[in-house]
Amino acid sequence: ILQALVLLLMAGPTLADAALTLVTTVGKASDYCFIPAEPHNCSVPAATSVTVDAGEDFAVGYTITNTGTVMLDTHTLIDSVLGIILNTFNYELPPGASAFITHRGTAPLTSGDVTYTASWVATNAGGDSASTNGSYHVVVPAPAFEMESTVGKAATHCTNPGNPADCSIPTVDHVVAEPGEPLVSAYLTTNTGLVTLAEHDLSDSV
């Protein structure tokens, strides 16, 4: 009799299991978003890291999968930097089903590799609850550039010595000239980094 009771207990019904899996991805907003005024109207990016200019917009995809055995119908999604994306949002997500939401963010104004984390919590009226976390990276490279300066006689390089726009670019970094002789200087800069350089200041010691 005792053995039969133990077998009956072992064969009894299993408890419901609530479980979630979150996948977070990121990409440039210019590649995945087409209506700037609607932050959620973007397609889901494919990567877990994106390299963008300082202050450039990016798109994040949050893909959730119900990996448990119960329906989950209330959802809260919080991004560590972008804030609350969903707040007790009503949506029925049955076992085995997936859903996604996208959101736009703006990259920091300083260079660096920032890790963003996301937390998704889902519940149902029966008291079942599950949570999961994800992360992605936004990389803002530091600016980098090189400059080459050259100089030459205006009489050689300029068809109109009074107008620098009419001068060709000298090819040497030194010149032998008479006192008071007009010269032309050229400054060639090359962006050797990974970000766009939009504003420039140039000064010459003389």
Side-chain angles (χ1 to χ4, degrees), residues 7 17 19 26 39 46 55 60-61 65 67 91 94 97-99 101 107 111 118 120 122-123 135 145 168 189 201:
L7 290 174
D17 181 27
V26 65
V60 187
T65 301
T67 54
Y91 179 81
S98 297
I101 186 172
S111 60
W120 192 302
T123 60
S135 65
F145 68 95
S168 61
T189 184
D201 292 316

Side-chain angles (χ1 to χ4, degrees), residues 19-82:
L20 292 169
T21 299
L22 175 65
V23 176
T24 50
T25 53
V26 65
K28 289 191 174 187
S30 58
D31 294 333
Y32 293 95
C33 305
F34 308 100
I35 304 178
E38 297 183 18
H40 300 298
N41 196 340
C42 305
S43 58
V44 178
T48 57
S49 179
V50 66
T51 299
V52 291
D53 291 347
E56 183 178 358
D57 280 0
F58 58 87
V60 187
Y62 309 89
T63 302
I64 193 72
T65 301
N66 185 341
T67 54
T69 59
V70 295
M71 176 77 75
L72 296 170
D73 49 29
T74 303
H75 306 267
T76 297
L77 170 62
I78 300 176
D79 188 291
S80 61
V81 178
L82 304 182

Side-chain angles (χ1 to χ4, degrees), residues 3-4 27 73 94 100 113 121 183 196:
Q3 289 179 338
D73 49 29
F100 72 87
D113 182 344
V121 179
L183 304 176
T196 301

Side-chain angles (χ1 to χ4, degrees), residues 6-205:
V6 171
L7 290 174
L8 180 61
L9 291 174
M10 293 176 61
T14 59
L15 296 176
D17 181 27
L20 292 169
T21 299
L22 175 65
V23 176
T24 50
T25 53
V26 65
K28 289 191 174 187
S30 58
D31 294 333
Y32 293 95
C33 305
F34 308 100
I35 304 178
E38 297 183 18
H40 300 298
N41 196 340
C42 305
S43 58
V44 178
T48 57
S49 179
V50 66
T51 299
V52 291
D53 291 347
E56 183 178 358
D57 280 0
F58 58 87
V60 187
Y62 309 89
T63 302
I64 193 72
T65 301
N66 185 341
T67 54
T69 59
V70 295
M71 176 77 75
L72 296 170
D73 49 29
T74 303
H75 306 267
T76 297
L77 170 62
I78 300 176
D79 188 291
S80 61
V81 178
L82 304 182
I84 298 174
I85 311 299
L86 297 174
N87 187 10
T88 60
F89 180 75
N90 292 321
Y91 179 81
E92 292 187 350
L93 187 67
S98 297
F100 72 87
I101 186 172
T102 58
H103 197 75
R104 289 174 67 121
T106 301
L109 297 178
T110 56
S111 60
D113 182 344
V114 181
T115 299
Y116 293 63
T117 59
S119 174
W120 192 302
V121 179
T123 60
N124 61 23
D128 300 304
S129 177
S131 63
T132 182
N133 299 310
S135 65
Y136 58 96
H137 299 272
V138 176
V139 180
V140 179
F145 68 95
E146 296 177 351
M147 188 182 76
E148 179 184 4
S149 54
T150 57
V151 64
K153 293 185 176 184
T156 302
H157 294 279
C158 304
T159 57
N160 179 7
N163 183 5
D166 291 336
C167 302
S168 61
I169 297 176
T171 59
V172 297
D173 60 4
H174 66 281
V175 67
V176 177
E178 298 293 334
E181 184 177 2
L183 304 176
V184 58
S185 300
Y187 311 88
L188 174 64
T189 184
T190 302
N191 185 345
T192 58
L194 299 176
V195 296
T196 301
L197 302 177
E199 296 183 1
H200 307 266
D201 292 316
L202 173 64
S203 62
D204 189 294
S205 61

